[in-house]
Amino acid sequence: MSVKARRRLRLPADHQSPAAARALVREVLVAAGFTDLLDEAMLLTTELSTNGVVHAGTDLDVEVVADDDGVTVTVTDFRGGTLEAPSSEPPDEMAEHGRGLLLVDRFASAWGTTHDATGKGVWFRLERRGHVPPPLPEATALVPDTSVDPDLAVAAAERVAWLVSVPDELRTRLTLPQLIAELLQRLCEIVGATGGAVWLDEGDGAGESRLASCGRVPLVRDDAMVVPLHLARPLSGRLELYPAGASALRTLAVLSADRMALTIEADRLRAADVRRRSWLTFLAEASELLAQSLNVDLTLALVPQLMVPRLGDWCAVYVLDEWGKLGLAAGTHRDESQWPVMKRLLSGPDAELAERLKETAELGLTVALSRPVEGIAVPLAARGKILGVLTLGRPADRLHAPDDVTVVEDIARRAALALDNARIHAERQRVAQAFQQALLPAALPQAPGIEFAAEYVPASTGTDVGGDFYDVLEVEPGRYLVSAGDVCGKGAQAAAVTGVVRDVLRALARDGLPLPRIIELLNRTLLEQPDEGRYATLITAMVWREGPDLCVEMCLSGHERALHLPRVGECEFVGVEGTAVGLLEQVKVTVTSLRLAPGDSLLFYTDGVTERRNGDVMFGLRGVCRAVTPLAGHPASVVAARLRTTVLNFSDEQPKDDIAILGMHNSIED
């Protein structure tokens, strides 16, 4: 094909550049006799040159080439970087950037980009398609014969640009219906329509509604030009102009309808983005609340509160018991006065509701619920098992949208995981508490003239097992083994060592061995254990009665000294330090003998008492003596309880170590 006309011009980056580019295009097309392509060519050239001035900010190079079949226009700027290609989705809301390429893609027969070391550009081609359409009588004022007066063609192109463009300062102040009404008003003004309307169906079951209108909308709309709006599903819509007018004006109506569709899609995407960001924030907050709860009942009560009223009018949570039967565990209603009625419906579900709940629990699928409990049922599944079913009533003003169902299913998964974690934690807590109780005597012996009393405060009420213990064993009638100790560490391994120490002491004492021999054999036993580094501090004593007094033989193995609290006189700490068991091959054991007169008491305690801190101040041995001295002569239970209370009140913090207190009192005169 031969070139009929070619022009190339360098334009400065100022507001006059688009007008100069249009003049260049007009000159070439008029010279080539392509006035039928003038409107599209000038519109696209205006868009590309405007974008180059606004976004590139450099000089523009505009080249126009007309051949036998059409015209090719290339607009080049001299700034590096990439071009923003048109997307299947519209730009952010009503942003102007990116619209030029969308128009190029819409109207051009072909288009592309150019890149070199100096800059980048966009070219488009318009072809004549074998004939020149006849002039439109109705559009004489809009597009006059440009071969007679080219200035009118420039004005027509500007009118087309005005048809689909809204200034930024106006666009930011308008809502979607107002913006569509503005575009519709411009279209009616250009084509001479007496009225128009834009209809939109959002695919939510509510049907079609009028989004915007202008002028007079007749009751009977048989004589109307109808142009569909090209919207992504589930949206659909159409543009109507009254009266229908000339079919030649349909091109302008299609152009305006495409701009309206772009506006609606942009608004939909913006609203969807805001909604999704809101859901992400909601899910993050819900996850944080659920993760903080390790209590089963609290977790069950929390789930309905998260759902109502944001996702539904009411919510109920069913859980499976050990026999696989669903039972209502928690629920709420946005109107609290309505919950008793709803609870009766949900507690004794009818056959249909019971079948839907069973289907959800067995298949793990989300199902719809029908009246009178209209909503959805979602399985509560975690770690490959079904824990229950979450039921949620629909909001009063609408059905659950697909996004709503997705969020509910996500919350249900998180709630099920939190519920399973709470159950696991509760089970571990029960095991730990049972284990801890097994390491302590169920009851202290009742002996005539001797009172034994104990207090125990674990540092953790959770799943950890402490290493402190106490024990009183009647090895033979009237003779008792009294012991207290502290095993290094915490947890199951420390508890296992505690069990070994307690059981070995009991077994060896029943064999009638003396205390030094018992400590020596216990030390050997601990050294033979596979878990190295586990040792214990220990205080042991044999107690029996001789006349009115209690005789005590006591050994310390790395433990705190005992406190002797006489009925009359000052308290004193008794015992000779020895070697902790489980550390060395040879242990140092020294037996200390003393007698408890009637009314005297003897206290054993672990380092959780003496090492209790209030800031930098430690409770210490002096604190022990000060706490119990006023209670000289009182029963052992009173003395032990007073020491426990004083130690706990010494600091506002939770104990960091177990507290074990064991006391004996010569009560022969009480």
Side-chain angles (χ1 to χ4, degrees), residues 369-641:
L369 303 178
S370 57
R371 295 181 181 275
V373 288
E374 190 173 6
I376 57 176
V378 183
L380 293 172
R383 298 184 174 96
K385 60 182 179 181
I386 302 295
L387 305 180
V389 175
L390 184 148
T391 56
L392 182 67
R394 72 176 184 86
D397 57 342
R398 60 183 176 85
L399 296 173
H400 281 119
D403 283 351
D404 295 335
V405 176
T406 301
V407 172
V408 172
E409 291 175 339
D410 200 324
I411 290 290
R413 284 192 294 269
R414 298 168 193 242
L417 187 59
L419 179 60
D420 197 41
N421 289 338
R423 286 182 170 180
I424 293 173
H425 179 78
E427 181 61 28
R428 291 185 61 186
Q429 193 171 30
R430 284 193 294 268
V431 171
Q433 292 173 353
F435 200 178
Q436 187 77 70
Q437 291 299 321
L439 299 176
L440 301 174
L444 296 177
Q446 299 291 327
I450 306 177
E451 181 195 6
F452 295 104
E455 295 286 343
Y456 187 84
V457 181
S460 171
T461 58
T463 58
D464 288 335
V465 182
D468 290 15
F469 73 96
Y470 63 87
D471 194 17
V472 179
L473 173 67
E474 188 174 14
V475 296
E476 57 185 49
R479 189 176 181 87
Y480 299 90
L481 172 69
V482 183
S483 60
D486 183 4
V487 173
C488 172
K490 292 184 180 298
Q493 293 178 332
V497 176
T498 301
V500 170
V501 172
R502 182 169 176 266
D503 292 343
V504 169
L505 282 176
R506 284 178 163 241
L508 295 177
R510 283 195 173 103
D511 288 342
L513 299 177
L515 279 181
R517 182 59 176 167
I518 291 175
I519 301 302
E520 180 183 345
L521 293 176
L522 174 61
N523 181 67
R524 185 180 302 173
T525 301
L526 291 182
L527 291 175
E528 292 172 353
Q529 297 298 309
D531 188 11
E532 298 181 358
R534 292 291 179 179
Y535 64 92
T537 64
L538 191 65
I539 181 170
T540 54
M542 284 293 183
V543 181
W544 69 94
R545 178 171 295 284
E546 287 185 359
D549 295 341
L550 290 179
C551 295
V552 179
E553 288 186 353
M554 180 177 58
C555 293
L556 298 181
S557 301
H559 202 78
E560 298 280 4
R561 290 179 296 167
L563 177 68
H564 178 209
L565 182 63
R567 183 170 189 174
V568 178
E570 296 182 356
C571 65
E572 61 176 338
F573 295 97
V574 294
V576 178
E577 294 180 355
T579 308
V581 292
L583 279 177
L584 305 175
E585 291 289 342
Q586 299 295 326
V587 293
K588 177 185 176 182
V589 180
T590 302
V591 178
T592 300
S593 299
L594 70 151
R595 299 177 74 89
L596 299 181
D600 289 359
S601 299
L602 187 66
L603 284 179
F604 295 171
Y605 44 87
T606 59
D607 57 4
V609 173
T610 57
E611 295 180 3
R612 174 84 161 143
R613 288 183 175 273
N614 184 2
D616 295 334
V617 181
M618 196 160 58
F619 191 76
L621 296 176
R622 291 184 179 181
V624 176
C625 191
R626 284 195 300 265
V628 302
T629 295
L631 299 178
H634 285 70
S637 58
V638 175
V639 177

Side-chain angles (χ1 to χ4, degrees), residues 288-415:
E288 184 177 357
L289 288 173
L290 291 169
Q292 291 176 355
S293 172
L294 287 176
N295 181 280
V296 175
D297 294 335
L298 178 60
T299 302
L300 289 172
L302 181 61
V303 174
Q305 301 297 329
L306 292 173
M307 295 294 187
V308 177
R310 182 161 189 167
L311 289 166
D313 267 5
W314 58 267
C315 178
V317 179
Y318 296 83
V319 294
L320 289 168
D321 59 20
E322 55 186 343
W323 295 283
K325 183 179 179 181
L326 279 173
L328 182 62
T332 190
H333 196 287
R334 73 182 303 160
D335 183 357
E336 293 184 2
S337 64
Q338 297 298 316
W339 173 242
V341 177
M342 182 62 65
K343 185 177 180 180
R344 284 194 294 271
L345 292 173
L346 298 171
S347 298
D350 56 23
E352 182 179 356
L353 177 57
E355 183 62 28
R356 302 298 275 173
L357 294 177
K358 181 180 178 182
E359 179 183 353
T360 302
E362 291 181 350
L363 301 180
L365 300 175
T366 299
V367 299
L369 303 178
S370 57
R371 295 181 181 275
V373 288
E374 190 173 6
I376 57 176
V378 183
L380 293 172
R383 298 184 174 96
K385 60 182 179 181
I386 302 295
L387 305 180
V389 175
L390 184 148
T391 56
L392 182 67
R394 72 176 184 86
D397 57 342
R398 60 183 176 85
L399 296 173
H400 281 119
D403 283 351
D404 295 335
V405 176
T406 301
V407 172
V408 172
E409 291 175 339
D410 200 324
I411 290 290
R413 284 192 294 269
R414 298 168 193 242

Side-chain angles (χ1 to χ4, degrees), residues 14-96:
D14 56 34
H15 66 281
Q16 298 294 333
S17 297
R22 289 196 302 270
L24 178 66
V25 171
R26 180 189 61 192
E27 178 183 347
V28 173
L29 292 185
V30 170
F34 291 165
T35 56
D36 55 306
L37 300 178
L38 189 60
D39 290 346
E40 291 87 346
M42 294 183 69
L43 173 63
L44 299 185
T45 302
T46 300
E47 289 293 337
L48 294 182
S49 58
T50 300
N51 286 346
V53 170
V54 172
H55 299 294
T58 68
D59 291 348
L60 301 180
D61 189 288
V62 181
E63 182 182 37
V64 185
V65 179
D67 52 40
D68 294 336
D69 298 325
V71 61
T72 301
V73 179
T74 304
V75 179
T76 304
D77 62 64
F78 300 94
R79 179 177 178 180
T82 58
L83 288 168
E84 182 179 354
S87 169
S88 59
E89 297 182 354
D92 182 27
E93 197 176 354
M94 290 294 297
E96 292 295 330

